[in-house]
Amino acid sequence: MKTYLQLNSSLHGAESLSSRLAGRFIETLVRIDRSTDSTAGSARVVVRDLARQPLPHLTAERFTAFGTAPEQRTAGQAHIAAESDALVAELAAADVIVIGLPMYNFGVPSTLKAYFDHVARAGVTFRYTADGPEGLLRDKRALVVATRGGRHAGTPSDLQSAYVRQFLGFIGITDVEFIYAEGLAMGEESRTAAIAEAGKRIEQLAA
Ligand SMILES: Cc1cc2nc3c(=O)[nH]c(=O)nc-3n(C[C@H](O)[C@H](O)[C@H](O)COP(=O)(O)O)c2cc1C
């Protein structure tokens, strides 16, 4: 049984295009898995909406709690670390991670950044060796559905893609693909074409 983790980060809730496309991506992956592999069984889909249930900003208190040995943590630190541990366990249990990623002011939504800050755990999801950093998560595929009002992919203003790829690679997730729906705020024709194109890419990548 494959486990899919959908991370939504749009503030638009049920209206969000990135969340809807991310959901469609998972539905397509599950459908194709079932049609090509009779042993695929039932899929487990976990949806985490980072905008509806935002994590706090990383503070000194939280960062210190992560780095304190479990037996030395205060009750408050244990509570903070448990929240992060649960997020890491959820991520570690996923075979496929699909991120709905709207662009906000040229960056990733701060809710997604807070999530990244809670799953980047030294000795748990990455470690430093004499040769540099080593990601500790293994055998995962990540698919990122990036939606933008303007057009940025392949230009210097796309600061998101390299950042997300870099972060995921840092924790060991190196199989990462992006689907873009761009020009969403550039008129109805542009929006309709972008959504149709993203739909096609979803079918291609899921196949
Ligand atoms: C606060 C905010 C900031 C935005 N900043 C950008 C931006 O820097 N560049 C851009 O192309 N679009 C920008 N947009 C447009 C969003 O990227 C677009 O509406 C979003 O990707 C649509 O996805 P969603 O429906 O999942 O929210 C912004 C939208 C909001 C609400």
Side-chain angles (χ1 to χ4, degrees):
M1 183 178 75
K2 257 193 191 160
T3 298
Y4 297 83
L5 174 62
Q6 180 179 340
L7 297 173
N8 296 336
S9 60
S10 167
L11 53 79
H12 287 124
E15 300 303 309
S16 157
L17 182 66
S18 57
S19 305
R20 282 191 281 133
L21 288 173
R24 185 162 148 199
F25 209 159
I26 291 181
E27 280 165 26
T28 309
L29 288 167
V30 170
R31 175 170 48 78
I32 289 176
D33 254 11
R34 282 202 188 125
S35 66
T36 54
D37 177 4
S38 56
T39 63
S42 56
R44 186 166 167 261
V45 180
V46 177
V47 181
R48 177 167 289 282
D49 190 325
L50 299 166
R52 278 204 185 125
Q53 287 183 293
L55 292 156
H57 282 187
L58 191 59
T59 58
E61 185 192 19
R62 298 185 77 79
F63 184 66
T64 305
F66 298 165
T68 303
E71 63 280 4
Q72 285 169 7
R73 285 178 188 139
T74 64
Q77 287 178 324
H79 180 76
I80 289 167
E83 194 177 10
S84 163
D85 288 348
L87 295 168
V88 170
E90 182 180 79
L91 182 59
D95 301 293
V96 180
I97 298 120
V98 179
I99 303 178
L101 179 72
M103 180 181 276
Y104 289 161
N105 302 317
F106 301 101
V108 302
S110 56
T111 51
L112 183 66
K113 177 62 166 67
Y115 174 83
F116 284 171
D117 288 340
H118 280 75
V119 297
R121 293 277 304 275
V124 183
T125 54
F126 73 91
R127 69 176 172 200
Y128 271 92
T129 70
D131 298 324
E134 182 190 7
L136 299 177
L137 296 178
R138 297 263 178 273
D139 303 324
K140 301 192 188 303
R141 182 181 186 199
L143 301 152
V144 183
V145 183
T147 56
R148 287 101 184 253
R151 292 189 211 283
H152 306 279
T155 79
S157 64
D158 185 3
L159 301 161
Q160 273 190 325
S161 304
Y163 165 67
V164 170
R165 191 182 288 283
Q166 176 74 27
F167 177 78
L168 294 175
F170 180 66
I171 58 172
I173 306 172
T174 51
D175 180 357
V176 184
E177 283 164 302
F178 284 78
I179 287 184
Y180 297 98
E182 299 197 294
L184 298 172
M186 296 170 65
E188 205 39 52
E189 206 175 307
S190 169
R191 184 180 168 83
T192 307
I195 295 171
E197 189 53 35
K200 266 193 225 154
R201 284 287 293 147
I202 285 175
E203 292 290 334
Q204 279 170 1
L205 278 182

